[in-house]
Amino acid sequence: MQLSHSQPVHPLWLRCCHWVNAVAIAGMLFSGWRIYNASPLFHFKFPTSLTLGGWLGGALQWHFALMWVLVINGAVYFLLGVASERFRRKFFPLSWPLLKETLSQALRGKLQHADLRDYNMVQKIVYLLVLLDGVGLVFSGLVLWKPVQCSLLSTLLGGYEAARYIHFLCMSAMTLFIVIHLLMALLVPRTLLAMLRGC
């Protein structure tokens, strides 16, 4: 199906936000892995070659600098998504029967991508879950960054140590999403082109 240049799959503002997010999230992941290595929660560490910052202090500086980029860019993305009604058009309505059908198609490799403007039910659910995952990362990250100032939030999350586990689990979910997202872009290259040029 040929896509019209007059109707871009993704508007310019969304493409800009997407790529800023991609850079910021990658930097936060790699610097976060260096921070994790300084005080691991589990019996493993991330390879130093996959971390950013050189040492704990450097990783913290990268993490906090990119945090502001991500928060500002995320706020722009959210406000424009709501104001333009893109979120409402793209993510709703939701349907459990359609979710089961499209999930079955996806697992059998039969999912169609005829029109990139239309999100299937799996995409809708996954993108909404990623937005919620981002909220979990921000809230748990605030507790780790400012535990005294965010004491109420810390209590709601179960304390500082619980916030560390929540942050790690949300980070792991984000990493899994990114891996699947990249694989899908490789399997359906038109999606990458649409995010680069809009159509």
Side-chain angles (χ1 to χ4, degrees), residues 30-41:
F30 298 145
S31 59
W33 291 348
R34 171 69 72 166
I35 296 166
Y36 167 90
N37 284 351
S39 181
L41 289 169

Side-chain angles (χ1 to χ4, degrees), residues 2-199:
Q2 193 73 26
L3 297 173
S4 169
H5 289 283
S6 62
Q7 294 180 311
V9 176
H10 305 299
L12 179 60
W13 66 264
L14 184 134
R15 283 178 278 142
C16 291
C17 286
H18 175 275
W19 292 112
V20 172
N21 266 349
V23 172
I25 289 174
M28 290 200 75
L29 280 176
F30 298 145
S31 59
W33 291 348
R34 171 69 72 166
I35 296 166
Y36 167 90
N37 284 351
S39 181
L41 289 169
F42 304 102
H43 296 295
F44 72 88
K45 291 187 176 183
F46 292 97
T48 304
S49 59
L50 295 179
T51 65
L52 176 66
W55 63 298
L56 178 58
L60 286 167
Q61 289 179 333
W62 273 105
H63 209 67
F64 292 141
L66 290 169
M67 170 193 73
W68 289 112
V69 174
L70 191 63
V71 166
I72 293 169
N73 189 65
V76 170
Y77 168 77
F78 181 78
L79 291 173
L80 289 176
V82 171
S84 67
E85 298 190 337
R86 181 181 174 83
F87 286 172
R88 180 185 60 78
R89 293 193 313 270
K90 294 293 184 181
F91 300 148
F92 299 98
L94 300 176
S95 165
W96 176 248
L98 274 179
L99 174 61
K100 290 193 292 184
E101 181 183 335
T102 52
L103 188 57
S104 174
Q105 291 173 349
L107 292 174
R108 290 183 285 114
K110 303 287 186 180
L111 203 57
Q112 298 298 312
H113 298 277
D115 190 346
L116 298 181
R117 293 184 194 86
D118 293 330
Y119 289 169
N120 60 58
M121 200 54 60
V122 171
Q123 287 175 299
K124 290 180 180 182
I125 296 294
V126 168
Y127 288 144
L128 287 172
L129 288 176
V130 166
L131 290 175
L132 289 175
D133 185 63
V135 172
L137 278 167
V138 169
F139 283 172
S140 58
L142 284 172
V143 171
L144 301 181
W145 181 36
K146 299 286 186 180
V148 175
Q149 294 87 338
C150 299
S151 58
L152 176 59
L153 183 57
S154 177
T155 301
L156 292 173
L157 294 183
Y160 184 86
E161 285 301 315
R164 289 188 69 201
Y165 283 95
I166 291 170
H167 203 67
F168 183 89
L169 290 173
C170 289
M171 176 278 298
S172 301
M174 183 65 72
T175 304
L176 178 62
F177 166 76
I178 291 169
V179 169
I180 295 172
H181 194 60
L182 290 174
L183 286 175
M184 292 306 296
L186 291 174
L187 291 172
V188 189
R190 292 183 303 126
T191 59
L192 178 59
L193 293 175
M195 191 54 75
L196 287 168
R197 64 190 187 191
C199 58

